[in-house]
Amino acid sequence: MLFRSEFWGYDNSPFLDFLRLHKFQVVTNARANYASTPECISASLNMAYPMPLPKTKIADLAPLNYLCGTIQAAEAPRRLQAAGYRLINLSLFDLCDQPRFYWYQGANQSSLAGLIFDSSAFGHLLNDLSAMTGMLKGRTNLRIFVRLVEIAAESSDAPRFVYAHLMMPHWPLAFNRYGQTLSWGEKPRQVNKENYLEHLLFANQLLTNTVATILAKSKTSPIIIIQGDHGFRLLSGQGGAREKTTILNAYHLPDATPDWSYPGITPVNTFRMVLNRYFGTGYPYLPDRQFDNQDATEKN
C-alpha cells in the first residue's frame, strides 16, 4: 500500500527510495481499479474489466464464482504459459492448471461445494479460529516470502511466471513492526490505523529483504511487479473513499526506459504494458478507472 501522509502521519519514502535505488519504476498517483480483491485480481490478470456485478456481499455465490472463474482462466498467465513459461501459483486463487497455495474464506472457488463450505457456519468458524492469533495466515505470508527466495535460487530450464498473493498488510493483523506475533489478547482482529501501520512496517521489511535477495540470486534480471489490489477501506472523513483504492504499484523492468509506464497507470494495464514491451503484442491501453463494488462487511 502507498501510504499518504495526510491520513497516516507516516512517511513511507524510505521504502519507496529503496525500490527506486533498485531500478523500480514507482507509479505516481497509483490507484486500484476496484476496492475488493476478486475484481482487482480479475482485472489485472485478464487485462480487462470484469462484467459489471451488482452491489452484493462478497460471500454471495454467483458473483464470486464468476470472478474466481475469470481468475482461473486469466488471459495473461495463459499467454505466458503458451510462450513457454512455467506457472508457479502462490496465491489464494486457482490459476490456470495450478491449484491455490492457501485457503482464504471467500476465495474457495475450486467447486460449488467449496463455495458453500465457505458460506457455512463451519467455514465462518474455521476462519474466526485462524484469525484469533493471526498465526495461520501470518505464517502463510512468511512461507510465501521464503518460497520466493528459494525460487530465485533454483535452476530452471524454462522461464517462470510466479504469482504470489500476500495478505500483508491485511486482516488478521498478525505482526507488529518487529515481526512479533500478536496474541489474542492484543486483538489482532481489530482493524484500526495503528495495527494496520504496524503490519505494513513489517511487510516493508520483508519486501526489502526479499527483493534484494531475488535480485542478487537471479541468474537473469527478473521482471518484478509489486502491486496492491486495494487500499485501507475503513477510513472515514474526507478522502476516505479515495484511500480504498490508493495502492503501491512498482515495476522492476529490465532494460526499461521511464516512458514504459505513466503516472496513474492501473493494474488493468499492467500486463498489457509487459506483454507489449517484451512480447511485441499490440494491446491498446484501457481507460484507468476506479469502481467501488466492495461490501462494507468485507475485512481489510
Side-chain angles (χ1 to χ4, degrees), residues 19-20 60 90 141 143 151 156 167 195 214 228 249 256 265 268 270-271 275 290 299-300:
L19 293 177
R20 294 185 182 101
D60 288 353
L90 304 178
N141 286 319
R143 285 170 56 210
I151 292 168
S156 177
M167 306 291 276
N195 288 347
I214 289 173
N249 195 2
I265 186 174
V268 75
T270 293
F271 285 100
L275 293 175
Q290 280 74 48
K299 299 176 180 69
N300 285 270

Side-chain angles (χ1 to χ4, degrees), residues 19-31:
L19 293 177
R20 294 185 182 101
L21 180 65
H22 288 78
K23 299 183 180 179
F24 277 78
Q25 296 185 14
V26 179
V27 177
T28 58
N29 193 31
R31 304 283 302 279

Side-chain angles (χ1 to χ4, degrees), residues 73-245:
E75 176 74 9
R78 288 193 296 109
R79 276 195 166 266
L80 290 169
Q81 280 189 317
Y85 278 70
R86 180 164 67 92
L87 173 61
I88 300 175
N89 183 17
L90 304 178
S91 84
L92 66 164
F93 298 103
D94 293 338
L95 188 62
C96 298
D97 56 353
Q98 297 299 307
R100 60 189 177 168
F101 186 68
Y102 62 95
W103 176 84
Y104 189 82
Q105 186 187 38
N108 186 8
Q109 81 288 1
S110 55
S111 66
L112 179 60
L115 287 166
I116 294 172
F117 173 82
D118 271 0
S119 301
S120 70
F122 187 74
H124 284 285
L125 175 61
L126 181 60
N127 189 61
D128 285 344
L129 288 174
S130 70
M132 279 184 169
T133 63
M135 288 178 64
L136 292 183
K137 296 181 181 68
R139 287 178 177 173
T140 296
N141 286 319
L142 300 182
R143 285 170 56 210
I144 292 173
F145 278 111
V146 170
R147 189 72 191 105
L148 288 171
V149 172
E150 291 174 344
I151 292 168
E154 292 170 355
S155 298
S156 177
D157 295 333
R160 294 164 294 186
F161 170 60
V162 182
Y163 170 44
H165 190 120
L166 294 156
M167 306 291 276
M168 291 185 76
H170 198 283
W171 179 93
L173 303 172
F175 303 107
N176 65 16
R177 70 180 69 192
Y178 307 108
Q180 297 166 330
T181 303
L182 296 174
S183 71
W184 176 243
E186 293 170 289
K187 298 181 180 178
R189 290 195 299 177
Q190 184 178 354
V191 181
N192 58 39
K193 289 175 62 176
E194 292 75 19
N195 288 347
Y196 200 80
L197 180 57
E198 290 288 313
H199 214 222
L200 172 99
L201 294 175
F202 185 51
N204 280 357
Q205 176 185 328
L206 293 172
L207 281 167
T208 297
N209 294 339
T210 302
V211 166
T213 304
I214 289 173
L215 292 175
K217 288 182 176 291
S218 296
K219 295 177 175 59
T220 58
S221 185
I223 297 171
I224 303 175
I225 299 167
I226 302 176
Q227 184 171 272
D229 56 342
H230 59 76
F232 189 74
R233 297 176 293 207
L234 300 180
L235 286 180
S236 59
Q238 186 177 8
R242 180 179 176 85
E243 197 70 5
K244 290 180 182 181
T245 57

